[in-house]
Structure formats: structure tokens, C-alpha cells
Amino acid sequence: MQTTHEPPTENLPTLPDREGLGDEEKRLGAAFRARYASEFRELVVRREVKNPAVTLIVISYRAGDYLLDCLRHLRGQTVALDLPYEILLADSGGLEHLRDRYGNLVDVELRLRDGLPLNVARNAAMGWARGELVAYIDDDGLVVPDWLEYGVNLFRDETIGAARGRIVPHKHPWYNVWAGHYDRGDELWDEDNVSTEGNMLIRRAVYLAIGGFRDDLYGGEGLYLAYRMKRAFPTLRSVYAPGMIMRHDYCRSVREFIWKSRRYKDVRKKITGIEPAFDAYMAVFDARKKPVRKRTRTEEVVLAGMRAAQSVIARMPVFDRVKRR
């Protein structure tokens, strides 16, 4: 049964909290909902999951049918019959043509203001999440069947505060050669970064306590989130989790590669100077030797070509006219 909640004049609609929720997390969750109240439009509950252990959040804007594939992979997890988890779709607009096709793939729809910046939508969604653990999943990413099982088992280690997964190619493998951080190999690694923000799992109480993602960042937000967590919770770790595997392409076309090359060309420059302590954190992170998946000879040639192309694209403002899609 589907129920629709319209926001009353004083209090935003919510779902029942999970059992055992602490007072501080309850207070912070309410504060997040209030902080992003102006972005809220509607809460639609398709199925109420009692006491969800995990909330899987998908942020989506003007998506195609690939969103349905993403949701099917989330619904078809190996722990589906044993672990109560909810799928929360944060709709930032342009999904009207898909709503009749969600079926049981979505538990909660959080309808937000159209075209929100990604991190604003992520933070708003966290206010309505209810699981002890919360995942962010890209709307065009396909997680493997045991993604959640692996992640939940990983977080039995109480020293882990956040984990980001491995990303492998879906349909366009050459573009992922460019994104070397996607795949750091087969070993768990203390990365001190959450560099695949659309393939991650975090303790909700920790996320709320550190204020979530910085609203105004686009690029580098995972590193800043890890920095915030380390400052607030020095004993917690942010790790690369090789078993949290997602199939996802860094780009799906030359057009998107050009757009990303322009969009991300000055990421380090843009995030430098936010805080002196963060600059120091970045310097340490950049200096660290990082695991690298061994590339084939062909991949090395492709990477060299993409680096040359990106260098040209980054220097020529004319490419700013290229749209992502």
C-alpha cells in the first residue's frame, strides 16, 4: 500500500525511528530535516520497513531506465530475506516517467526540489534515512548480489566508520582506466578517503555528527568527509572495501569525458584553502603511496592517449560549451 505525506505547516513528515535509536542521533536527524526543509517537497511511502538496519539511498535526477536496473540490483541482495533494509529514492526531478514502474523496487520516495546540487540532495536524504548504516549508490551503478552482505559484515569491526567500494567497468571499460582510484585491487586498505561517493557505506550517527558532505563541493567531497570524520572521531577508519563491487562507467561517451575533464580540471585548486588543517590532510594523502591495479599494455596506451586529450581539453575554454548529455 502506498501512502503520501504532504508537509504540514510546522513539522515535516517522518517514518517511525528504528528501535534503539539514541537521543543524539534522533536530535541530529531532526536537525538535518530542518536544515533542508526548503528543499523538501513530498514523502511517499510505498512500503514501510520496520527497524531497518541499513538504508540504501539512490539520488537521481532526470534518469533513464538504467535507474530501474540499479534498483533491481539493490532489491536482489543475498541478505534480502535475513536483513531488514530499506531503499530510499531521493528524487531531484525528472523521474515522473518512471514512477509507475518502480513497483516493489522502492520503499520510500523522498521528492526534493528539482535540480538540487548533488551533495545537498545527499544531505537532505540522510535526514530521512533510518538505518544504523547508510549507503549512497549512484543511480547508474549496479552493485553485485553480495554487496550489502559484505558491507554489513565489514562494519562488525567497530573501528570502521566509513567504507567506499570498488568500481569495475560496465559497458565502457576504457574510461575507467582514467579513473585509477576506482579499483585499488583485492586487499582492504585504510584509504583515509571516501573517493567513490556513489558507492559507499557509512554509520549514520557519524555522518550526522560531522555535518555530512559539504554542500558546495563537487569533486573532493569524499576526501573532505573523511577529513571531517578523522577530526571528530580520531579512532575511526575510512577504508577501501574491495568486496563492495559496483559495475559503473566513469564516462559513457566522448561528450561526457570532455564535460568531466572541464568540470574536474581544478578540483584540487578549488578545495585548497577551505581550512588549513584540511590542506595539511590533503598533502599527507597525496604523498602516500597507493595500491594500483596492474594495467595491461593496451590500457597503458589508452591511458596515455586520454591524458594527452585531457590536457588539451582542460586548457581550451571552448569545451565549456559541451554538455554532459
Side-chain angles (χ1 to χ4, degrees), residues 144 146-147 150-151 154 160 162-168 181-191 196 199 237 239-247 291:
V144 296
D146 63 348
W147 188 97
Y150 177 97
L154 180 67
I160 294 178
R164 70 88 165 186
R166 182 200 305 210
I167 295 180
V168 299
H181 64 289
Y182 271 16
D183 188 346
R184 294 290 187 194
D186 298 331
E187 301 299 323
L188 186 76
W189 181 56
D190 279 50
E191 187 170 14
T196 53
N199 179 17
R237 303 151 59 202
V239 302
Y240 162 75
M244 288 168 46
I245 301 171
M246 170 191 283
R247 284 191 288 132

PDB file of all heavy atoms in Angstrom, residues 144 146-147 150-151 154 160 162-168 181-191 196 199 237 239-247 291:
ATOM      1  N   VAL A 144      26.954  -5.743  -6.957  1.00  0.00           N
ATOM      2  CA  VAL A 144      26.912  -7.209  -7.028  1.00  0.00           C
ATOM      3  C   VAL A 144      25.953  -7.738  -5.966  1.00  0.00           C
ATOM      4  O   VAL A 144      25.641  -7.038  -4.987  1.00  0.00           O
ATOM      5  CB  VAL A 144      28.323  -7.809  -6.848  1.00  0.00           C
ATOM      6  CG1 VAL A 144      29.235  -7.387  -7.994  1.00  0.00           C
ATOM      7  CG2 VAL A 144      28.919  -7.399  -5.494  1.00  0.00           C
ATOM      8  N   ASP A 146      26.168  -9.709  -3.431  1.00  0.00           N
ATOM      9  CA  ASP A 146      26.581  -9.779  -2.030  1.00  0.00           C
ATOM     10  C   ASP A 146      27.194  -8.464  -1.542  1.00  0.00           C
ATOM     11  O   ASP A 146      27.908  -8.448  -0.543  1.00  0.00           O
ATOM     12  CB  ASP A 146      27.547 -10.939  -1.801  1.00  0.00           C
ATOM     13  CG  ASP A 146      28.855 -10.788  -2.568  1.00  0.00           C
ATOM     14  OD1 ASP A 146      28.939  -9.903  -3.456  1.00  0.00           O
ATOM     15  OD2 ASP A 146      29.797 -11.561  -2.300  1.00  0.00           O
ATOM     16  N   TRP A 147      26.916  -7.380  -2.250  1.00  0.00           N
ATOM     17  CA  TRP A 147      27.449  -6.063  -1.861  1.00  0.00           C
ATOM     18  C   TRP A 147      27.081  -5.728  -0.419  1.00  0.00           C
ATOM     19  O   TRP A 147      27.937  -5.374   0.394  1.00  0.00           O
ATOM     20  CB  TRP A 147      26.891  -4.989  -2.802  1.00  0.00           C
ATOM     21  CG  TRP A 147      27.479  -3.617  -2.662  1.00  0.00           C
ATOM     22  CD1 TRP A 147      28.478  -3.068  -3.408  1.00  0.00           C
ATOM     23  CD2 TRP A 147      27.092  -2.590  -1.728  1.00  0.00           C
ATOM     24  NE1 TRP A 147      28.749  -1.776  -2.994  1.00  0.00           N
ATOM     25  CE2 TRP A 147      27.917  -1.461  -1.973  1.00  0.00           C
ATOM     26  CE3 TRP A 147      26.142  -2.510  -0.707  1.00  0.00           C
ATOM     27  CZ2 TRP A 147      27.814  -0.275  -1.237  1.00  0.00           C
ATOM     28  CZ3 TRP A 147      26.048  -1.329   0.037  1.00  0.00           C
ATOM     29  CH2 TRP A 147      26.869  -0.226  -0.236  1.00  0.00           C
ATOM     30  N   TYR A 150      28.563  -8.225   2.291  1.00  0.00           N
ATOM     31  CA  TYR A 150      29.964  -7.915   2.542  1.00  0.00           C
ATOM     32  C   TYR A 150      30.080  -6.652   3.405  1.00  0.00           C
ATOM     33  O   TYR A 150      30.843  -6.607   4.373  1.00  0.00           O
ATOM     34  CB  TYR A 150      30.698  -7.725   1.215  1.00  0.00           C
ATOM     35  CG  TYR A 150      32.154  -7.314   1.351  1.00  0.00           C
ATOM     36  CD1 TYR A 150      33.175  -8.257   1.281  1.00  0.00           C
ATOM     37  CD2 TYR A 150      32.513  -5.993   1.532  1.00  0.00           C
ATOM     38  CE1 TYR A 150      34.509  -7.880   1.406  1.00  0.00           C
ATOM     39  CE2 TYR A 150      33.840  -5.593   1.657  1.00  0.00           C
ATOM     40  CZ  TYR A 150      34.828  -6.552   1.587  1.00  0.00           C
ATOM     41  OH  TYR A 150      36.138  -6.162   1.720  1.00  0.00           O
ATOM     42  N   GLY A 151      29.325  -5.616   3.055  1.00  0.00           N
ATOM     43  CA  GLY A 151      29.426  -4.356   3.768  1.00  0.00           C
ATOM     44  C   GLY A 151      29.004  -4.462   5.219  1.00  0.00           C
ATOM     45  O   GLY A 151      29.683  -3.935   6.120  1.00  0.00           O
ATOM     46  N   LEU A 154      31.599  -6.228   7.163  1.00  0.00           N
ATOM     47  CA  LEU A 154      32.760  -5.366   7.340  1.00  0.00           C
ATOM     48  C   LEU A 154      32.575  -4.435   8.534  1.00  0.00           C
ATOM     49  O   LEU A 154      33.496  -4.210   9.327  1.00  0.00           O
ATOM     50  CB  LEU A 154      32.982  -4.546   6.064  1.00  0.00           C
ATOM     51  CG  LEU A 154      34.161  -3.573   6.041  1.00  0.00           C
ATOM     52  CD1 LEU A 154      35.478  -4.330   6.070  1.00  0.00           C
ATOM     53  CD2 LEU A 154      34.095  -2.677   4.805  1.00  0.00           C
ATOM     54  N   ILE A 160      35.677   0.819  12.043  1.00  0.00           N
ATOM     55  CA  ILE A 160      35.383   1.330  10.703  1.00  0.00           C
ATOM     56  C   ILE A 160      34.185   2.267  10.769  1.00  0.00           C
ATOM     57  O   ILE A 160      33.100   1.890  11.208  1.00  0.00           O
ATOM     58  CB  ILE A 160      35.127   0.174   9.716  1.00  0.00           C
ATOM     59  CG1 ILE A 160      36.418  -0.632   9.527  1.00  0.00           C
ATOM     60  CG2 ILE A 160      34.630   0.712   8.370  1.00  0.00           C
ATOM     61  CD1 ILE A 160      36.275  -1.832   8.623  1.00  0.00           C
ATOM     62  N   ALA A 162      33.527   4.475   7.891  1.00  0.00           N
ATOM     63  CA  ALA A 162      33.036   4.638   6.520  1.00  0.00           C
ATOM     64  C   ALA A 162      33.838   3.714   5.607  1.00  0.00           C
ATOM     65  O   ALA A 162      35.012   3.422   5.860  1.00  0.00           O
ATOM     66  CB  ALA A 162      33.187   6.085   6.064  1.00  0.00           C
ATOM     67  N   ALA A 163      33.188   3.254   4.560  1.00  0.00           N
ATOM     68  CA  ALA A 163      33.857   2.397   3.581  1.00  0.00           C
ATOM     69  C   ALA A 163      33.407   2.797   2.190  1.00  0.00           C
ATOM     70  O   ALA A 163      32.239   3.115   1.967  1.00  0.00           O
ATOM     71  CB  ALA A 163      33.529   0.924   3.826  1.00  0.00           C
ATOM     72  N   ARG A 164      34.345   2.783   1.267  1.00  0.00           N
ATOM     73  CA  ARG A 164      33.980   3.018  -0.129  1.00  0.00           C
ATOM     74  C   ARG A 164      34.359   1.777  -0.917  1.00  0.00           C
ATOM     75  O   ARG A 164      35.325   1.078  -0.623  1.00  0.00           O
ATOM     76  CB  ARG A 164      34.645   4.285  -0.653  1.00  0.00           C
ATOM     77  CG  ARG A 164      36.143   4.243  -0.859  1.00  0.00           C
ATOM     78  CD  ARG A 164      36.506   3.731  -2.235  1.00  0.00           C
ATOM     79  NE  ARG A 164      37.882   3.997  -2.594  1.00  0.00           N
ATOM     80  CZ  ARG A 164      38.363   3.728  -3.811  1.00  0.00           C
ATOM     81  NH1 ARG A 164      37.604   3.183  -4.742  1.00  0.00           N
ATOM     82  NH2 ARG A 164      39.620   3.986  -4.082  1.00  0.00           N
ATOM     83  N   GLY A 165      33.547   1.476  -1.945  1.00  0.00           N
ATOM     84  CA  GLY A 165      33.724   0.233  -2.663  1.00  0.00           C
ATOM     85  C   GLY A 165      34.583   0.337  -3.904  1.00  0.00           C
ATOM     86  O   GLY A 165      35.091   1.398  -4.262  1.00  0.00           O
ATOM     87  N   ARG A 166      34.732  -0.808  -4.537  1.00  0.00           N
ATOM     88  CA  ARG A 166      35.482  -0.923  -5.789  1.00  0.00           C
ATOM     89  C   ARG A 166      34.519  -0.753  -6.958  1.00  0.00           C
ATOM     90  O   ARG A 166      33.380  -1.228  -6.917  1.00  0.00           O
ATOM     91  CB  ARG A 166      36.127  -2.308  -5.872  1.00  0.00           C
ATOM     92  CG  ARG A 166      36.965  -2.513  -7.123  1.00  0.00           C
ATOM     93  CD  ARG A 166      37.207  -3.997  -7.447  1.00  0.00           C
ATOM     94  NE  ARG A 166      37.791  -4.730  -6.346  1.00  0.00           N
ATOM     95  CZ  ARG A 166      38.588  -5.782  -6.500  1.00  0.00           C
ATOM     96  NH1 ARG A 166      38.900  -6.210  -7.703  1.00  0.00           N
ATOM     97  NH2 ARG A 166      39.057  -6.425  -5.458  1.00  0.00           N
ATOM     98  N   ILE A 167      34.964  -0.072  -8.000  1.00  0.00           N
ATOM     99  CA  ILE A 167      34.140   0.111  -9.195  1.00  0.00           C
ATOM    100  C   ILE A 167      34.841  -0.539 -10.375  1.00  0.00           C
ATOM    101  O   ILE A 167      36.022  -0.294 -10.637  1.00  0.00           O
ATOM    102  CB  ILE A 167      33.886   1.601  -9.474  1.00  0.00           C
ATOM    103  CG1 ILE A 167      33.055   2.214  -8.338  1.00  0.00           C
ATOM    104  CG2 ILE A 167      33.166   1.793 -10.802  1.00  0.00           C
ATOM    105  CD1 ILE A 167      32.731   3.679  -8.507  1.00  0.00           C
ATOM    106  N   VAL A 168      34.096  -1.394 -11.069  1.00  0.00           N
ATOM    107  CA  VAL A 168      34.611  -2.071 -12.260  1.00  0.00           C
ATOM    108  C   VAL A 168      33.775  -1.644 -13.458  1.00  0.00           C
ATOM    109  O   VAL A 168      32.641  -1.180 -13.302  1.00  0.00           O
ATOM    110  CB  VAL A 168      34.580  -3.610 -12.090  1.00  0.00           C
ATOM    111  CG1 VAL A 168      35.468  -4.036 -10.910  1.00  0.00           C
ATOM    112  CG2 VAL A 168      33.156  -4.114 -11.886  1.00  0.00           C
ATOM    113  N   HIS A 181      41.503   5.480  -9.285  1.00  0.00           N
ATOM    114  CA  HIS A 181      41.089   5.261  -7.898  1.00  0.00           C
ATOM    115  C   HIS A 181      39.892   4.318  -7.796  1.00  0.00           C
ATOM    116  O   HIS A 181      39.576   3.844  -6.696  1.00  0.00           O
ATOM    117  CB  HIS A 181      40.735   6.596  -7.240  1.00  0.00           C
ATOM    118  CG  HIS A 181      39.545   7.275  -7.862  1.00  0.00           C
ATOM    119  ND1 HIS A 181      39.583   7.856  -9.113  1.00  0.00           N
ATOM    120  CD2 HIS A 181      38.283   7.465  -7.396  1.00  0.00           C
ATOM    121  CE1 HIS A 181      38.400   8.373  -9.392  1.00  0.00           C
ATOM    122  NE2 HIS A 181      37.591   8.149  -8.370  1.00  0.00           N
ATOM    123  N   TYR A 182      39.235   4.043  -8.901  1.00  0.00           N
ATOM    124  CA  TYR A 182      38.058   3.168  -8.862  1.00  0.00           C
ATOM    125  C   TYR A 182      38.403   1.786  -8.316  1.00  0.00           C
ATOM    126  O   TYR A 182      37.618   1.174  -7.595  1.00  0.00           O
ATOM    127  CB  TYR A 182      37.463   3.020 -10.261  1.00  0.00           C
ATOM    128  CG  TYR A 182      36.424   4.056 -10.632  1.00  0.00           C
ATOM    129  CD1 TYR A 182      36.276   5.238  -9.914  1.00  0.00           C
ATOM    130  CD2 TYR A 182      35.586   3.845 -11.724  1.00  0.00           C
ATOM    131  CE1 TYR A 182      35.329   6.173 -10.277  1.00  0.00           C
ATOM    132  CE2 TYR A 182      34.633   4.783 -12.094  1.00  0.00           C
ATOM    133  CZ  TYR A 182      34.505   5.940 -11.365  1.00  0.00           C
ATOM    134  OH  TYR A 182      33.561   6.870 -11.729  1.00  0.00           O
ATOM    135  N   ASP A 183      39.533   1.252  -8.728  1.00  0.00           N
ATOM    136  CA  ASP A 183      39.888  -0.131  -8.390  1.00  0.00           C
ATOM    137  C   ASP A 183      41.294  -0.156  -7.810  1.00  0.00           C
ATOM    138  O   ASP A 183      42.282  -0.032  -8.529  1.00  0.00           O
ATOM    139  CB  ASP A 183      39.799  -0.999  -9.646  1.00  0.00           C
ATOM    140  CG  ASP A 183      39.965  -2.488  -9.357  1.00  0.00           C
ATOM    141  OD1 ASP A 183      40.410  -2.837  -8.254  1.00  0.00           O
ATOM    142  OD2 ASP A 183      39.661  -3.294 -10.263  1.00  0.00           O
ATOM    143  N   ARG A 184      41.389  -0.345  -6.491  1.00  0.00           N
ATOM    144  CA  ARG A 184      42.678  -0.400  -5.808  1.00  0.00           C
ATOM    145  C   ARG A 184      43.125  -1.842  -5.540  1.00  0.00           C
ATOM    146  O   ARG A 184      44.024  -2.082  -4.732  1.00  0.00           O
ATOM    147  CB  ARG A 184      42.599   0.353  -4.477  1.00  0.00           C
ATOM    148  CG  ARG A 184      42.383   1.864  -4.602  1.00  0.00           C
ATOM    149  CD  ARG A 184      43.602   2.546  -5.156  1.00  0.00           C
ATOM    150  NE  ARG A 184      43.472   4.009  -5.132  1.00  0.00           N
ATOM    151  CZ  ARG A 184      44.275   4.828  -5.801  1.00  0.00           C
ATOM    152  NH1 ARG A 184      45.260   4.322  -6.531  1.00  0.00           N
ATOM    153  NH2 ARG A 184      44.101   6.130  -5.749  1.00  0.00           N
ATOM    154  N   GLY A 185      42.491  -2.792  -6.204  1.00  0.00           N
ATOM    155  CA  GLY A 185      42.915  -4.177  -6.043  1.00  0.00           C
ATOM    156  C   GLY A 185      42.077  -4.957  -5.056  1.00  0.00           C
ATOM    157  O   GLY A 185      40.968  -4.552  -4.697  1.00  0.00           O
ATOM    158  N   ASP A 186      42.625  -6.082  -4.590  1.00  0.00           N
ATOM    159  CA  ASP A 186      41.848  -7.073  -3.844  1.00  0.00           C
ATOM    160  C   ASP A 186      41.958  -6.972  -2.331  1.00  0.00           C
ATOM    161  O   ASP A 186      41.318  -7.742  -1.615  1.00  0.00           O
ATOM    162  CB  ASP A 186      42.284  -8.484  -4.249  1.00  0.00           C
ATOM    163  CG  ASP A 186      42.038  -8.765  -5.733  1.00  0.00           C
ATOM    164  OD1 ASP A 186      41.090  -8.171  -6.288  1.00  0.00           O
ATOM    165  OD2 ASP A 186      42.786  -9.566  -6.318  1.00  0.00           O
ATOM    166  N   GLU A 187      42.770  -6.062  -1.812  1.00  0.00           N
ATOM    167  CA  GLU A 187      43.011  -6.004  -0.377  1.00  0.00           C
ATOM    168  C   GLU A 187      42.309  -4.809   0.267  1.00  0.00           C
ATOM    169  O   GLU A 187      42.262  -3.721  -0.309  1.00  0.00           O
ATOM    170  CB  GLU A 187      44.524  -5.911  -0.093  1.00  0.00           C
ATOM    171  CG  GLU A 187      45.337  -7.068  -0.646  1.00  0.00           C
ATOM    172  CD  GLU A 187      44.935  -8.405  -0.055  1.00  0.00           C
ATOM    173  OE1 GLU A 187      44.615  -8.439   1.165  1.00  0.00           O
ATOM    174  OE2 GLU A 187      44.941  -9.408  -0.802  1.00  0.00           O
ATOM    175  N   LEU A 188      41.772  -5.038   1.463  1.00  0.00           N
ATOM    176  CA  LEU A 188      41.231  -3.949   2.268  1.00  0.00           C
ATOM    177  C   LEU A 188      42.353  -2.961   2.573  1.00  0.00           C
ATOM    178  O   LEU A 188      43.472  -3.359   2.889  1.00  0.00           O
ATOM    179  CB  LEU A 188      40.654  -4.509   3.568  1.00  0.00           C
ATOM    180  CG  LEU A 188      39.906  -3.533   4.470  1.00  0.00           C
ATOM    181  CD1 LEU A 188      38.530  -3.231   3.901  1.00  0.00           C
ATOM    182  CD2 LEU A 188      39.756  -4.107   5.876  1.00  0.00           C
ATOM    183  N   TRP A 189      42.057  -1.676   2.458  1.00  0.00           N
ATOM    184  CA  TRP A 189      43.097  -0.661   2.613  1.00  0.00           C
ATOM    185  C   TRP A 189      42.543   0.542   3.351  1.00  0.00           C
ATOM    186  O   TRP A 189      41.450   1.020   3.047  1.00  0.00           O
ATOM    187  CB  TRP A 189      43.611  -0.241   1.228  1.00  0.00           C
ATOM    188  CG  TRP A 189      44.701   0.776   1.252  1.00  0.00           C
ATOM    189  CD1 TRP A 189      45.903   0.687   1.899  1.00  0.00           C
ATOM    190  CD2 TRP A 189      44.699   2.050   0.596  1.00  0.00           C
ATOM    191  NE1 TRP A 189      46.655   1.825   1.679  1.00  0.00           N
ATOM    192  CE2 TRP A 189      45.948   2.673   0.882  1.00  0.00           C
ATOM    193  CE3 TRP A 189      43.786   2.720  -0.219  1.00  0.00           C
ATOM    194  CZ2 TRP A 189      46.290   3.935   0.395  1.00  0.00           C
ATOM    195  CZ3 TRP A 189      44.122   3.976  -0.697  1.00  0.00           C
ATOM    196  CH2 TRP A 189      45.358   4.569  -0.405  1.00  0.00           C
ATOM    197  N   ASP A 190      43.294   1.008   4.353  1.00  0.00           N
ATOM    198  CA  ASP A 190      42.905   2.220   5.063  1.00  0.00           C
ATOM    199  C   ASP A 190      43.243   3.418   4.192  1.00  0.00           C
ATOM    200  O   ASP A 190      44.370   3.921   4.205  1.00  0.00           O
ATOM    201  CB  ASP A 190      43.650   2.296   6.406  1.00  0.00           C
ATOM    202  CG  ASP A 190      42.992   1.446   7.471  1.00  0.00           C
ATOM    203  OD1 ASP A 190      42.721   0.265   7.188  1.00  0.00           O
ATOM    204  OD2 ASP A 190      42.744   1.942   8.579  1.00  0.00           O
ATOM    205  N   GLU A 191      42.251   3.893   3.458  1.00  0.00           N
ATOM    206  CA  GLU A 191      42.489   4.909   2.445  1.00  0.00           C
ATOM    207  C   GLU A 191      42.468   6.330   3.005  1.00  0.00           C
ATOM    208  O   GLU A 191      43.043   7.242   2.431  1.00  0.00           O
ATOM    209  CB  GLU A 191      41.451   4.785   1.326  1.00  0.00           C
ATOM    210  CG  GLU A 191      41.726   5.684   0.148  1.00  0.00           C
ATOM    211  CD  GLU A 191      40.845   5.373  -1.050  1.00  0.00           C
ATOM    212  OE1 GLU A 191      39.844   4.655  -0.896  1.00  0.00           O
ATOM    213  OE2 GLU A 191      41.168   5.851  -2.139  1.00  0.00           O
ATOM    214  N   THR A 196      34.849   7.128  -3.777  1.00  0.00           N
ATOM    215  CA  THR A 196      33.746   6.757  -4.674  1.00  0.00           C
ATOM    216  C   THR A 196      32.452   7.026  -3.907  1.00  0.00           C
ATOM    217  O   THR A 196      31.845   6.126  -3.349  1.00  0.00           O
ATOM    218  CB  THR A 196      33.839   5.285  -5.126  1.00  0.00           C
ATOM    219  OG1 THR A 196      33.967   4.426  -3.973  1.00  0.00           O
ATOM    220  CG2 THR A 196      35.043   5.060  -6.025  1.00  0.00           C
ATOM    221  N   ASN A 199      29.352   4.940  -4.195  1.00  0.00           N
ATOM    222  CA  ASN A 199      29.486   3.518  -3.867  1.00  0.00           C
ATOM    223  C   ASN A 199      30.125   3.456  -2.481  1.00  0.00           C
ATOM    224  O   ASN A 199      31.299   3.139  -2.333  1.00  0.00           O
ATOM    225  CB  ASN A 199      30.361   2.800  -4.900  1.00  0.00           C
ATOM    226  CG  ASN A 199      30.542   1.320  -4.592  1.00  0.00           C
ATOM    227  OD1 ASN A 199      29.789   0.742  -3.809  1.00  0.00           O
ATOM    228  ND2 ASN A 199      31.551   0.707  -5.204  1.00  0.00           N
ATOM    229  N   ARG A 237      38.094   4.630  11.148  1.00  0.00           N
ATOM    230  CA  ARG A 237      38.812   4.472   9.884  1.00  0.00           C
ATOM    231  C   ARG A 237      37.853   4.620   8.705  1.00  0.00           C
ATOM    232  O   ARG A 237      36.691   4.224   8.777  1.00  0.00           O
ATOM    233  CB  ARG A 237      39.461   3.078   9.809  1.00  0.00           C
ATOM    234  CG  ARG A 237      40.408   2.781  10.943  1.00  0.00           C
ATOM    235  CD  ARG A 237      40.462   1.291  11.246  1.00  0.00           C
ATOM    236  NE  ARG A 237      40.899   0.514  10.090  1.00  0.00           N
ATOM    237  CZ  ARG A 237      40.640  -0.777   9.920  1.00  0.00           C
ATOM    238  NH1 ARG A 237      39.922  -1.446  10.826  1.00  0.00           N
ATOM    239  NH2 ARG A 237      41.082  -1.414   8.856  1.00  0.00           N
ATOM    240  N   VAL A 239      37.831   3.228   4.894  1.00  0.00           N
ATOM    241  CA  VAL A 239      38.577   2.183   4.206  1.00  0.00           C
ATOM    242  C   VAL A 239      38.091   1.974   2.772  1.00  0.00           C
ATOM    243  O   VAL A 239      36.942   2.288   2.429  1.00  0.00           O
ATOM    244  CB  VAL A 239      38.494   0.837   4.971  1.00  0.00           C
ATOM    245  CG1 VAL A 239      39.022   0.989   6.394  1.00  0.00           C
ATOM    246  CG2 VAL A 239      37.061   0.291   4.990  1.00  0.00           C
ATOM    247  N   TYR A 240      38.997   1.436   1.960  1.00  0.00           N
ATOM    248  CA  TYR A 240      38.652   0.901   0.638  1.00  0.00           C
ATOM    249  C   TYR A 240      38.239  -0.541   0.852  1.00  0.00           C
ATOM    250  O   TYR A 240      38.992  -1.348   1.407  1.00  0.00           O
ATOM    251  CB  TYR A 240      39.869   0.981  -0.282  1.00  0.00           C
ATOM    252  CG  TYR A 240      39.793   0.103  -1.513  1.00  0.00           C
ATOM    253  CD1 TYR A 240      38.985   0.444  -2.592  1.00  0.00           C
ATOM    254  CD2 TYR A 240      40.540  -1.065  -1.593  1.00  0.00           C
ATOM    255  CE1 TYR A 240      38.917  -0.356  -3.717  1.00  0.00           C
ATOM    256  CE2 TYR A 240      40.484  -1.873  -2.717  1.00  0.00           C
ATOM    257  CZ  TYR A 240      39.671  -1.527  -3.780  1.00  0.00           C
ATOM    258  OH  TYR A 240      39.614  -2.323  -4.893  1.00  0.00           O
ATOM    259  N   ALA A 241      37.019  -0.874   0.420  1.00  0.00           N
ATOM    260  CA  ALA A 241      36.446  -2.199   0.648  1.00  0.00           C
ATOM    261  C   ALA A 241      36.311  -2.924  -0.688  1.00  0.00           C
ATOM    262  O   ALA A 241      35.374  -2.662  -1.452  1.00  0.00           O
ATOM    263  CB  ALA A 241      35.086  -2.067   1.321  1.00  0.00           C
ATOM    264  N   PRO A 242      37.233  -3.842  -1.006  1.00  0.00           N
ATOM    265  CA  PRO A 242      37.256  -4.456  -2.342  1.00  0.00           C
ATOM    266  C   PRO A 242      36.053  -5.334  -2.662  1.00  0.00           C
ATOM    267  O   PRO A 242      35.757  -5.576  -3.831  1.00  0.00           O
ATOM    268  CB  PRO A 242      38.547  -5.280  -2.322  1.00  0.00           C
ATOM    269  CG  PRO A 242      38.808  -5.556  -0.875  1.00  0.00           C
ATOM    270  CD  PRO A 242      38.329  -4.335  -0.157  1.00  0.00           C
ATOM    271  N   GLY A 243      35.334  -5.788  -1.632  1.00  0.00           N
ATOM    272  CA  GLY A 243      34.179  -6.644  -1.887  1.00  0.00           C
ATOM    273  C   GLY A 243      32.882  -5.894  -2.130  1.00  0.00           C
ATOM    274  O   GLY A 243      31.876  -6.505  -2.506  1.00  0.00           O
ATOM    275  N   MET A 244      32.887  -4.585  -1.921  1.00  0.00           N
ATOM    276  CA  MET A 244      31.713  -3.766  -2.240  1.00  0.00           C
ATOM    277  C   MET A 244      31.840  -3.346  -3.706  1.00  0.00           C
ATOM    278  O   MET A 244      32.216  -2.223  -4.030  1.00  0.00           O
ATOM    279  CB  MET A 244      31.633  -2.553  -1.313  1.00  0.00           C
ATOM    280  CG  MET A 244      31.229  -2.906   0.107  1.00  0.00           C
ATOM    281  SD  MET A 244      31.457  -1.555   1.326  1.00  0.00           S
ATOM    282  CE  MET A 244      30.757  -0.145   0.491  1.00  0.00           C
ATOM    283  N   ILE A 245      31.524  -4.266  -4.588  1.00  0.00           N
ATOM    284  CA  ILE A 245      31.798  -4.085  -6.020  1.00  0.00           C
ATOM    285  C   ILE A 245      30.570  -3.536  -6.742  1.00  0.00           C
ATOM    286  O   ILE A 245      29.450  -4.027  -6.582  1.00  0.00           O
ATOM    287  CB  ILE A 245      32.225  -5.410  -6.674  1.00  0.00           C
ATOM    288  CG1 ILE A 245      33.494  -5.945  -5.985  1.00  0.00           C
ATOM    289  CG2 ILE A 245      32.461  -5.246  -8.173  1.00  0.00           C
ATOM    290  CD1 ILE A 245      33.876  -7.351  -6.418  1.00  0.00           C
ATOM    291  N   MET A 246      30.814  -2.529  -7.544  1.00  0.00           N
ATOM    292  CA  MET A 246      29.776  -1.933  -8.387  1.00  0.00           C
ATOM    293  C   MET A 246      30.252  -1.908  -9.828  1.00  0.00           C
ATOM    294  O   MET A 246      31.408  -1.586 -10.098  1.00  0.00           O
ATOM    295  CB  MET A 246      29.480  -0.496  -7.927  1.00  0.00           C
ATOM    296  CG  MET A 246      28.599   0.308  -8.882  1.00  0.00           C
ATOM    297  SD  MET A 246      28.535   2.072  -8.460  1.00  0.00           S
ATOM    298  CE  MET A 246      27.417   2.019  -7.068  1.00  0.00           C
ATOM    299  N   ARG A 247      29.354  -2.223 -10.738  1.00  0.00           N
ATOM    300  CA  ARG A 247      29.633  -2.028 -12.169  1.00  0.00           C
ATOM    301  C   ARG A 247      29.131  -0.645 -12.560  1.00  0.00           C
ATOM    302  O   ARG A 247      27.956  -0.322 -12.392  1.00  0.00           O
ATOM    303  CB  ARG A 247      28.947  -3.106 -13.007  1.00  0.00           C
ATOM    304  CG  ARG A 247      29.642  -4.450 -12.950  1.00  0.00           C
ATOM    305  CD  ARG A 247      29.102  -5.419 -13.995  1.00  0.00           C
ATOM    306  NE  ARG A 247      27.782  -5.891 -13.655  1.00  0.00           N
ATOM    307  CZ  ARG A 247      26.741  -5.919 -14.482  1.00  0.00           C
ATOM    308  NH1 ARG A 247      26.864  -5.475 -15.726  1.00  0.00           N
ATOM    309  NH2 ARG A 247      25.578  -6.385 -14.088  1.00  0.00           N
ATOM    310  N   PRO A 291      47.765   1.706  -3.517  1.00  0.00           N
ATOM    311  CA  PRO A 291      47.699   0.494  -4.330  1.00  0.00           C
ATOM    312  C   PRO A 291      47.197   0.811  -5.736  1.00  0.00           C
ATOM    313  O   PRO A 291      46.300   1.644  -5.910  1.00  0.00           O
ATOM    314  CB  PRO A 291      46.686  -0.380  -3.577  1.00  0.00           C
ATOM    315  CG  PRO A 291      46.632   0.178  -2.203  1.00  0.00           C
ATOM    316  CD  PRO A 291      46.911   1.638  -2.322  1.00  0.00           C
TER     317      PRO A 291
END
